[in-house]
């Protein structure tokens, strides 16, 4: 599939080299022609009633991109460039509007994160961290995966899932090399690499739903309810539903990755304990470069965690600025005190190291953001939302919740969850009102579903980052992610429904006073 052999020993630099061209240089003629045929047919067909022709052309381009992404008909980053050509040519949106998302702040968060990771790899700090984690986690593969998932999910409750994955991925890749490589090549090594890396990506998304600041859709939900109805969702109140959903999904994800879909061996990895401690001892004491890089990295993490509070005093502070700022510090700080024999100083991060960052992944995510921008900019999202209301009245409430969750899950596989949530949450709150239900009944499951996209690299930044490692192909991510999507649908539709009707005081078929305006400040 063009992503390289997952069982090979993980070199810290391999992820960056592979990510630059994650789909290789091969072409697949049949999938390529199928995608083009779908594109042409949709262009020739008339737009459905009520849908603008520009939005229908977005559907055509999106269909081509989806086919090529899933089948890897051409290199994945090349497919992500299609919006720059096809959106202006078809008249869907202008070149300016199509190109702007490629410079989205998230792209620069990626860039800064990759540079930080490059500095860690350059001075072997990631290896030291990985060895210490593995030494404490144990030598059973499923325990290692579980430990990484717990750590990642906890971080993601407070830090953006992108920043969390940026922190954990280099460490996970090093563990793949140390543990899988040390145990020998083979199917077990391949499955361990897939389970560990997908575990990092999926737990970063899952952990984010636990708190209001963990992922943008949660904050958007709180903002929508406050601005529209004067309803204060509250940090603690959200955790009543977010934490149970996150904990249950994390447990299910761990079981799927280590016991059901991949079935990692339960036995201890022979010689792993001695090998890890021998390697750890061989690193010696931390160098000045490791200490400074670690300090800058930790400082960035603290700023990411405290950003919401710090914005009160520094309004312009954001995740992307923190990542780029930390990278610039590494460019400016020397690795050691004093000068080399030739009178020069070596910086903690040089451009040779930085230039190896995975440009293909940056383009890939830019293409996904461009597609999301076109979906919202042409009114396609509103048309889809209106379509839901057309048959909502004929469905039972629990079935309607499942339909809404399913649509949100599928949409966020190919579009930004932030853009999707920003558009659909107000629509779904209004739809709940139209059918005489509490706005929370549809809006909360929708917000949860927007963060549970596991099948495509462009679905979430963690997926894209893990895809950049070269250990997971798109077909593999689709296959294992589909299990998670089904699990998320069931958990959100059942646990979410039960929590809303018990701890949130939502009564089926009854409109709350705060929604009708009778008590705007009620909670």
């Amino acid at each position: 599939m063009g992503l390289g052999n997952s069982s090979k020993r993980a070199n810290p630099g391999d992820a960056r080299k592979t990510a630059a061209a994650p789909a290789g240089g091969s072409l697949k003629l049949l999938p390529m022609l199928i995608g083009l045929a779908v594109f042409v047919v949709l262009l020739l067909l008339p737009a459905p009633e009520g849908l603008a022709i520009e939005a229908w052309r977005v559907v055509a381009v999106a269909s081509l991109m989806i086919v090529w992404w899933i089948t890897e008909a051409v290199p994945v980053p090349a497919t992500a460039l299609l919006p720059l050509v096809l959106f202006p040519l078809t008249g869907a949106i202008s070149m300016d509007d199509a190109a702007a998302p490629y410079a989205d702040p998230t792209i620069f968060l990626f860039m800064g994160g990759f540079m930080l990771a490059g500095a860690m790899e350059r001075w072997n700090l990631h290896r030291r961290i990985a060895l210490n984690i593995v030494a404490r986690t144990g030598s059973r593969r499923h325990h290692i995966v579980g430990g990484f998932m717990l750590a990642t999910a906890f971080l993601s409750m407070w830090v953006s899932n992108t920043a969390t994955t940026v922190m954990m991925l280099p460490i996970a890749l090093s563990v793949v090399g140390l543990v899988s490589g040390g145990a020998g090549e083979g199917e077990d090594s391949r499955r361990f690499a897939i389970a560990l890396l997908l575990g990092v990506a999926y737990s970063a998304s899952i952990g984010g739903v636990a708190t209001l600041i963990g992922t943008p859709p949660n904050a958007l939900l709180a903002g929508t309810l406050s601005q529209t109805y004067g309803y204060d969702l509250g940090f603690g109140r959200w955790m009543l539903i977010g934490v149970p959903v996150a904990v249950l999904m994390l447990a299910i994800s761990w079981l799927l990755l280590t016991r059901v879909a991949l079935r990692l061996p339960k036995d201890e990895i022979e010689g792993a304990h001695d090998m890890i401690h021998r390697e750890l001892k061989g690193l010696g004491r931390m160098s000045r470069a490791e200490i400074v890089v670690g300090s800058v990295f930790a400082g960035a993490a603290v700023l990411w965690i405290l950003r919401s509070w710090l914005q009160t005093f520094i309004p312009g502070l954001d995740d992307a600025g923190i990542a780029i700022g930390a990278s610039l510090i590494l460019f400016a700080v020397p690795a050691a005190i004093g000068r080399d024999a030739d009178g020069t100083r070596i910086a903690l991060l040089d451009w040779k190291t930085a230039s190896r960052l995975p440009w293909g992944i940056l383009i890939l995510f830019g293409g996904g953001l461009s597609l999301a921008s076109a979906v919202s900019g042409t009114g396609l999202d509103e048309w889809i939302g209106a379509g839901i209301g057309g048959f909502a009245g004929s469905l039972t409430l629990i079935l309607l919740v499942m339909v809404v969750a399913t649509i949100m899950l599928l949409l966020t596989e190919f579009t930004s969850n932030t853009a999707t949530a920003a558009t659909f949450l107000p629509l779904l709150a209004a739809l709940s009102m139209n059918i005489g239900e509490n706005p929370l009944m549809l809006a909360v499951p929708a917000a949860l579903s927007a963060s549970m996209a596991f099948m495509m690299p462009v679905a979430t930044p963690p997926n894209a980052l893990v895809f950049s490692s070269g250990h997971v192909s798109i077909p593999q991510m689709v296959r294992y992610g589909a299990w998670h999507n089904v699990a998320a649908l069931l958990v959100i539709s059942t646990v979410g429904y039960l929590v809303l009707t018990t701890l949130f005081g939502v009564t089926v078929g009854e409109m709350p006073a705060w929604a009708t305006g009778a008590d705007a400040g009620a909670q």
Side-chain angles (χ1 to χ4, degrees):
M1 280 300 182
L3 281 172
N5 188 345
S6 298
S7 63
K8 75 174 182 176
R9 185 178 178 89
N11 186 324
D14 287 348
R16 195 163 273 96
K17 294 174 184 176
T18 307
S26 61
L27 298 177
K28 299 176 183 176
L29 185 59
L30 183 58
M32 184 168 60
L33 293 177
I34 291 174
L36 288 171
V38 171
F39 171 68
V40 172
V41 168
L42 289 174
L43 279 183
L44 295 175
L45 290 174
E49 185 178 353
L51 184 65
I53 187 63
E54 293 81 6
W56 184 240
R57 289 166 181 166
V58 171
V59 172
V61 176
S63 300
L64 171 60
M65 294 175 69
I66 290 167
V67 171
W68 282 10
W69 267 334
I70 291 176
T71 63
E72 296 181 81
V74 300
V76 172
T79 299
L81 292 170
L82 284 174
L84 295 175
V85 179
L86 297 182
F87 282 157
L89 282 180
T90 59
I93 59 175
S94 68
M95 173 58 84
D96 287 348
D97 291 337
Y102 290 84
D104 187 89
T106 305
I107 304 298
F108 291 96
L109 174 59
F110 266 58
M111 184 182 294
F114 281 131
M115 289 180 180
L116 287 169
M120 289 180 66
E121 292 175 6
R122 186 185 187 199
W123 301 105
N124 243 2
L125 176 60
H126 69 302
R127 185 177 178 85
R128 185 182 298 276
I129 297 172
L131 285 167
N132 277 284
I133 288 178
V134 177
R136 289 163 174 74
T137 305
S139 55
R140 297 178 187 268
R141 292 177 178 86
H142 60 292
H143 287 167
I144 294 172
V145 173
F148 265 86
M149 292 181 71
L150 283 171
T152 304
F154 178 77
L155 284 173
S156 190
M157 291 172 62
W158 318 102
V159 181
S160 75
N161 57 8
T162 305
T164 299
T165 310
V166 164
M167 284 189 262
M168 297 299 293
L169 183 57
I171 304 168
L173 286 172
S174 188
V175 170
V176 167
L178 289 168
V179 177
S180 292
E185 306 295 336
E187 181 64 17
D188 287 347
S189 297
R190 184 188 69 83
R191 286 187 295 170
F192 172 72
I194 294 172
L196 180 59
L197 296 177
L198 287 182
V200 168
Y202 294 166
S203 56
S205 296
I206 291 169
V209 307
T211 65
L212 278 181
I213 63 172
T215 184
N218 295 358
L220 287 167
L221 173 63
T224 297
L225 293 173
S226 176
Q227 293 176 15
T228 306
Y229 306 106
Y231 180 81
D232 182 14
L233 184 56
F235 197 98
R237 181 171 295 177
W238 172 260
M239 292 184 73
L240 291 176
I241 189 169
V243 170
V245 169
V247 169
L248 187 54
M249 274 301 301
L250 195 65
I252 292 173
S253 178
W254 178 77
L255 288 173
L256 287 174
L257 290 174
T258 64
R259 289 289 175 265
V260 179
L262 289 165
R263 297 192 179 186
L264 300 182
K266 294 183 179 180
D267 58 307
E268 293 193 6
I269 301 172
E270 185 177 353
H273 183 270
D274 292 339
M275 177 197 71
I276 290 167
H277 283 273
R278 186 169 58 250
E279 294 273 358
L280 187 58
K281 185 177 181 180
L283 290 177
R285 298 184 56 159
M286 290 185 70
S287 66
R288 177 181 184 274
E290 285 182 89
I291 293 172
V292 177
V293 169
S295 299
V296 172
F297 198 77
V302 170
L303 289 176
W304 277 325
I305 293 172
L306 300 178
R307 180 179 59 83
S308 297
W309 175 74
L310 289 173
Q311 280 182 321
T312 305
F313 311 99
I314 314 172
L317 189 67
D318 61 22
D319 286 345
I322 292 168
I324 296 296
S327 301
L328 290 174
I329 292 174
L330 296 177
F331 278 113
V333 175
I337 299 175
R339 297 179 182 271
D340 292 338
D342 60 358
T344 62
R345 287 185 176 181
I346 300 175
L348 292 170
L349 180 62
D350 60 7
W351 189 249
K352 182 179 179 180
T353 301
S355 66
R356 292 197 297 266
L357 61 82
W359 299 103
I361 295 302
L362 300 180
I363 294 173
L364 169 64
F365 200 65
L369 292 175
S370 183
L371 178 58
S373 176
V375 168
S376 60
T378 59
L380 177 58
D381 49 1
E382 295 181 3
W383 181 80
I384 296 173
I388 299 174
F391 62 89
S394 62
L395 301 177
T396 62
L397 184 57
I398 187 64
L399 186 57
L400 180 58
V401 169
M402 295 185 71
V403 169
V404 167
T406 300
I407 291 174
M408 292 295 288
L409 281 170
L410 294 177
L411 277 176
T412 51
E413 289 292 349
F414 306 104
T415 64
S416 159
N417 65 351
T418 303
T420 303
T423 301
F424 277 90
L425 290 178
L427 296 175
L428 291 171
L431 175 61
S432 298
M433 299 275 288
N434 291 338
I435 61 175
E437 296 290 349
N438 191 310
L440 296 174
M441 191 58 79
L442 296 183
V444 168
L448 291 169
S449 300
S451 298
M452 297 286 187
F454 303 107
M455 291 173 58
M456 295 292 292
V458 296
T460 65
N463 288 9
L465 286 163
V466 163
F467 175 68
S468 76
S469 71
H471 286 276
V472 183
S473 67
I474 287 183
Q476 287 171 336
M477 188 171 283
V478 169
R479 181 163 69 252
Y480 301 127
W483 286 84
H484 285 72
N485 277 15
V486 172
L489 176 62
L490 295 176
V491 169
I492 291 170
S493 301
T494 55
V495 175
Y497 183 91
L498 290 174
V499 172
L500 282 173
T501 54
T502 53
L503 301 180
F504 273 67
V506 174
T507 302
V508 176
E510 181 179 309
M511 294 280 288
W514 54 263
T516 60
D519 186 7
Q523 298 181 26

